Amino acid sequence: MWHVGTVVALNDETETVRTVRLKVSNWRSHVAGQHVDVRVTASDGYSAVRSYSIASAPNSDGHLELTIERLPEGEVSPYLTQEVEVGDRLELRGPIGGWFVWRNYQTEPVQLIGGGSGIVPLMAMIRSRASAGSSAPFRLLYSVREPSAVLYRDELHTLSNRDYPVTVSYAYTRAIPQGWPRPPGHIDASLIANTTWPSNLAPICYVCGPTSFVETIAGLLTACGHGTDKIRAERFGPTGEPQ
Amino acid sequence: MMAIISRGFSGRRSAAVVKLPPGQYLTTDFPVLSAGPTPNVPLDNWQLTIDDGTKVLRKWDWESFRGLPNETFTVDLHCVTRWSKLGATWEGVSLDTLLAEVNTDASYAFVHSYGDYTTNLPLKDLLNQKAWIAFRFDGGELALEHGGPARLLVPHLYLWKSAKWIRRITLTHEDKPGFWEGLGYHNYGDPWREQRYWGE
């Protein structure tokens, strides 16, 4: 049931967010949007399990990446973002989840809306689309505290400037880059209207972030005429952990 | 399999001894987990129905539902995403009250919510003071994101069985998987036996 994953690479995305790349033997490939349970065990046998979204595209060679935000009061995330080294082994179970997923044969327009580290499972969808050579129309609206907190910035830039691009829009909530046209603020109805697929295209909307973020966005989307059956939500609790 | 020791991990064990189901950790807040948008059902349109798949057995509007005898109860909640919340106080109507005048030989209940969520469980798990339809939490009205105006509470099973925004209970002879049960989660979901996913 529990698989052993070996840490093969670590990458600091920001000051508080790290990507852990693992090689897992006998691992069945995931679907973009799924998560895994990670178990860590102390020398006296005490163990703790948390769920983390998979950030990488599906693949058949047993590799996966988890992008983990360090929560100051967290029990497991400080360990995974500060202590773990290449060569360490972690126990994993999964992949888990069959609802908040994008399968690379889906062709309908997709609207992704992420808040903070809610970008992680959406990035897996974007990467899955790229690795499958899919031309499904994708838009991403990414709400983030400040420019330095943006995850995957360069990769998103590349993917938005190629054939069949993913259209990426940012909403900065606390601090904006120099010359940014919109003052800091949360996503509102006008930003939804100006940057996301209109409801008459019947996109499937994936919304991921803290609970209050998801509640707000789902409300804005339904007010714009998106069907509730077209909105898939993944909420973090106020603890932020597990996702 | 022996667990692999995580070099450098000591964990944060709480000093208080609390008994939690395997693999759960304690939270003092109340995380929200739902698969889609939060439905907003005006109380004027709210209905709760018990049927047998073809005919309606009992039906309440908000006023008649709130006129039923209700109870205040304190229970522990266990979510499959691994948080547990202890000692939550609710007010609601016992399923024993709602099913008192229902004569059925059905074995299963299939629960429907506003917003089209569904879940399934054996009928006996709704009986004998084990399940309620709750409308108040922690001394206040039940918030929409937590399932207001009224939600099912079956605290001895993982919380996804406690359907938010409950609308209808269908009593059946055959079991059929609900929303999460059809997506890989366990059909029964006993936290003390750690029945999280299919095959456990």
Side-chain angles (χ1 to χ4, degrees):
Chain A
M1 211 61 221
W2 288 96
H3 298 261
V4 178
T6 304
V7 177
V8 295
L10 298 166
N11 179 40
D12 286 326
E13 306 280 354
T14 70
E15 276 182 21
T16 56
V17 178
R18 171 173 279 187
T19 293
V20 179
R21 183 170 174 81
L22 296 148
K23 172 84 169 81
V24 192
S25 44
N26 300 318
W27 184 254
R28 126 182 97 92
S29 181
H30 65 277
V31 180
Q34 286 187 304
H35 63 274
V36 293
D37 285 352
V38 176
R39 177 164 76 180
V40 292
T41 303
S43 53
D44 65 353
Y46 170 83
S47 68
V49 179
R50 296 291 185 276
S51 299
Y52 295 102
S53 288
I54 301 171
S56 48
N59 63 76
S60 53
D61 61 3
H63 280 99
L64 75 158
E65 292 178 3
L66 308 176
T67 299
I68 298 161
E69 178 173 24
R70 178 160 64 253
L71 304 166
E73 301 302 314
E75 182 180 30
V76 177
S77 65
Y79 175 75
L80 292 177
T81 54
Q82 291 175 307
E83 299 293 329
V84 156
E85 294 173 4
V86 170
D88 282 346
R89 294 185 300 168
L90 302 170
E91 289 179 292
L92 289 93
R93 183 160 69 170
I96 299 159
W99 175 247
F100 194 83
V101 293
W102 183 80
R103 298 173 198 277
N104 59 21
Y105 54 75
Q106 287 180 227
T107 56
E108 74 274 53
V110 168
Q111 181 64 54
L112 308 173
I113 305 184
S117 55
I119 185 69
V120 175
L122 308 182
M123 193 63 191
M125 297 179 188
I126 290 171
R127 288 168 164 168
S128 173
R129 172 184 181 273
S131 74
S134 160
S135 58
F138 263 47
R139 283 185 178 181
L140 168 67
L141 175 55
Y142 183 4
S143 171
V144 64
R145 201 170 56 246
E146 57 199 355
S148 64
V150 173
L151 303 181
Y152 318 121
R153 178 194 294 279
D154 294 345
E155 189 177 351
L156 286 171
H157 181 75
T158 303
L159 290 170
S160 62
N161 286 284
R162 66 197 274 271
D163 290 343
Y164 305 114
V166 176
T167 306
V168 181
S169 307
Y170 292 91
Y172 294 98
T173 59
R174 300 247 183 92
I176 53 176
Q178 212 172 10
W180 192 256
R182 186 176 182 269
H186 290 284
I187 294 175
D188 57 17
S190 79
L191 200 61
I192 293 278
N194 292 332
T195 64
T196 67
W197 295 118
S199 58
N200 60 12
L201 294 179
I204 180 161
C205 304
Y206 297 89
V207 184
C208 185
T211 295
S212 58
F213 175 84
V214 171
E215 292 297 319
T216 304
I217 300 298
L220 289 170
L221 290 173
T222 46
C224 288
H226 294 273
T228 55
D229 59 332
K230 290 289 194 180
I231 303 172
R232 299 191 179 197
E234 189 96 310
R235 298 161 166 89
F236 307 165
T239 56
E241 194 176 3
Q243 295 184 357
Chain B
M1 183 177 87
M2 280 283 291
I4 288 182
I5 304 302
S6 311
R7 180 196 51 75
F9 177 73
S10 57
R12 263 199 227 146
R13 277 145 276 209
S14 73
V17 180
V18 289
K19 197 157 176 273
L20 291 178
Q24 296 293 111
Y25 68 90
L26 199 58
T27 184
T28 50
D29 49 34
F30 193 177
V32 174
L33 286 158
S34 323
T38 296
N40 187 356
V41 189
L43 293 184
D44 287 349
N45 299 343
W46 185 90
Q47 282 194 332
L48 173 66
T49 310
I50 298 174
D51 66 35
D52 64 3
T54 49
K55 66 175 190 298
V56 172
L57 305 173
R58 298 297 312 267
K59 191 167 171 179
W60 298 268
D61 60 13
W62 185 252
E63 197 182 343
S64 57
F65 170 73
R66 291 290 280 104
L68 294 168
N70 62 63
E71 302 169 12
T72 300
F73 53 98
T74 299
V75 293
D76 300 337
L77 307 178
H78 308 294
C79 179
V80 71
T81 62
R82 300 185 178 277
W83 55 264
S84 289
K85 180 178 181 62
L86 304 184
T89 299
W90 301 78
E91 287 174 62
V93 178
S94 166
L95 264 292
D96 296 304
T97 303
L98 295 167
L99 290 164
E101 288 164 38
V102 172
N103 203 347
T104 179
D105 57 357
S107 302
Y108 300 97
F110 194 76
V111 180
H112 306 256
S113 294
Y114 292 97
D116 291 336
Y117 180 78
T118 57
T119 190
N120 60 304
L121 64 172
L123 180 55
K124 68 174 171 50
D125 286 88
L126 293 180
L127 299 171
N128 296 316
Q129 287 299 103
K130 288 201 293 275
W132 296 265
I133 292 184
F135 49 82
R136 286 176 72 81
F137 165 69
D138 208 12
E141 296 299 318
L142 181 56
L144 284 182
E145 68 266 27
H146 287 306
R151 71 176 296 168
L152 180 62
L153 265 188
V154 195
H156 69 285
L157 300 177
Y158 280 125
L159 200 53
W160 88 79
K161 296 285 185 181
S162 295
K164 297 173 183 177
W165 315 297
I166 189 166
R167 167 169 72 92
R168 182 155 56 97
I169 300 174
T170 300
L171 307 178
T172 63
H173 291 95
E174 282 178 30
D175 197 14
K176 108 174 158 179
F179 179 82
W180 287 121
E181 294 84 0
L183 287 168
Y185 286 83
H186 197 275
N187 197 50
Y188 184 61
D190 179 352
W192 295 96
R193 287 185 280 166
E194 208 172 2
Q195 295 172 332
R196 296 177 194 275
Y197 314 116
W198 273 105
E200 295 189 335

